[in-house]
Amino acid sequence: MKSFILAALALTLVAATGACTDSKRARNAATWGDTPADITCWSYGTETFKGRSTGKVEYNDGGRIAFVDAANNRYTTLDGECRVVYHQPPK
């Protein structure tokens, strides 16, 4: 009985680690890493910001994003509809 339980746990572990997709790995790298990102924001269809972060972009519950702007090395917060595209993490 013990060997059956151990085998079932091992199969579950293999299935859980093997089921990690590219998008999940990229999300985890962006969530837990300090990867720079390209950021573009719009308001009423007009582009209001286009730039790059020096590292991780933080999000709050109200939809605001915060990051250090690579152009001027200043802490920046933005509201609006923004697209954040993370760079490939270093290997």
Side-chain angles (χ1 to χ4, degrees):
M1 184 66 172
K2 271 188 176 180
S3 61
F4 175 75
I5 292 172
L6 289 175
L9 286 173
L11 284 174
T12 302
L13 180 61
V14 168
T17 57
C20 193
T21 63
D22 286 346
S23 62
K24 286 182 183 178
R25 282 191 294 273
R27 181 190 63 203
N28 288 341
T31 301
W32 303 111
D34 195 24
T35 306
D38 291 324
I39 303 165
T40 308
C41 298
W42 299 268
S43 180
Y44 299 104
T46 303
E47 189 176 280
T48 58
F49 178 84
K50 186 169 191 164
R52 176 181 277 187
S53 70
T54 60
K56 183 178 177 68
V57 177
E58 297 177 345
Y59 304 86
N60 75 2
D61 294 335
R64 178 174 286 186
I65 62 173
F67 58 95
V68 176
D69 190 346
N72 56 24
N73 211 32
R74 295 175 71 181
Y75 180 73
T76 305
T77 61
L78 296 169
D79 286 316
E81 297 191 24
C82 297
R83 178 180 65 195
V84 178
V85 180
Y86 288 94
H87 296 262
Q88 279 284 26
K91 292 184 179 186

